């Protein structure tokens, strides 16, 4: 296999910057959540928020971890494709949990998700799916 064939079988060049942007978005959201004093409380409370997104220590850790993993994945094309699929699977689950938790309104909800979080997680899952499919098709050519 020549180097030209190897280059054609890798992910598109725009995938790594897109993954880096997603990683930075979630890293910034996670760090902003930790810098807010109301983070230590547990339970469903709609007043604890950064902009329109809810806060808990658990959610901040998840957002920070997703951000750090995104920045690490952006260093390699294969890592970027894997990250997109992990985003799709993980955030689809978080969206499903968030919709149920928000609809029921359980006061003991440790994640404290609101509808803005559900939309963010759902759109992130959709972005991961689209980026993963496009990148995988491009790499398969």
């Amino acid at each position: 296999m020549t180097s030209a064939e190897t280059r054609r079988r890798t992910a598109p060049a725009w995938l790594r910057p897109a993954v880096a942007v997603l990683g930075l978005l979630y890293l910034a959201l996670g760090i902003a959540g930790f810098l807010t004093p109301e983070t230590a409380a547990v339970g469903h409370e709609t007043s604890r928020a950064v902009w329109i997104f809810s806060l808990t220590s658990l959610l901040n850790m998840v957002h920070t971890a997703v951000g750090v993993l995104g920045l690490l994945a952006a260093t390699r094309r294969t890592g970027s494709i894997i990250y997109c699929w992990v985003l799709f699977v993980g955030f689809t689950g978080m969206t499903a949990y968030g919709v149920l938790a928000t609809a029921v309104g359980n006061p003991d909800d440790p994640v404290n998700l609101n509808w803005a979080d559900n939309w963010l997680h759902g759109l992130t899952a959709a972005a991961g799916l689209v980026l993963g499919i496009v990148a995988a098709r491009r790499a398969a050519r």
Side-chain angles (χ1 to χ4, degrees):
M1 198 182 278
T2 65
S3 63
E5 290 172 349
T6 304
R7 258 185 268 124
R8 273 187 258 132
R9 288 187 165 205
T10 59
W14 51 262
L15 181 64
R16 289 174 51 197
V19 166
V21 167
L22 282 170
L24 283 173
L25 170 81
Y26 275 99
L27 184 62
L29 187 59
I31 290 173
F34 280 122
L35 296 177
T36 305
E38 298 93 15
T39 302
V42 176
H44 191 76
E45 178 59 46
T46 57
S47 66
R48 292 191 312 259
V50 169
W51 190 42
I52 58 173
F53 303 110
S54 64
L55 296 174
T56 61
S57 297
L58 179 62
L59 193 57
N60 293 337
M61 285 188 284
V62 168
H63 286 167
T64 304
V66 167
V68 169
L69 289 175
L71 293 177
L72 290 174
T75 61
R76 299 219 172 232
R77 289 181 179 178
T78 306
S80 297
I81 293 173
I82 293 169
Y83 180 75
C84 289
W85 290 110
V86 169
L87 277 183
F88 169 64
V89 171
F91 280 106
T92 298
M94 284 187 71
T95 303
Y97 172 78
V99 168
L100 290 173
T102 307
V104 172
N106 185 2
D108 297 327
D109 179 21
V111 187
N112 189 34
L113 293 172
N114 61 19
W115 286 108
D117 290 312
N118 294 338
W119 277 101
L120 175 69
H121 297 157
L123 290 173
T124 302
L129 177 64
V130 169
L131 291 174
I133 288 173
V134 170
R137 283 187 179 175
R138 178 83 182 264
R141 286 186 193 171

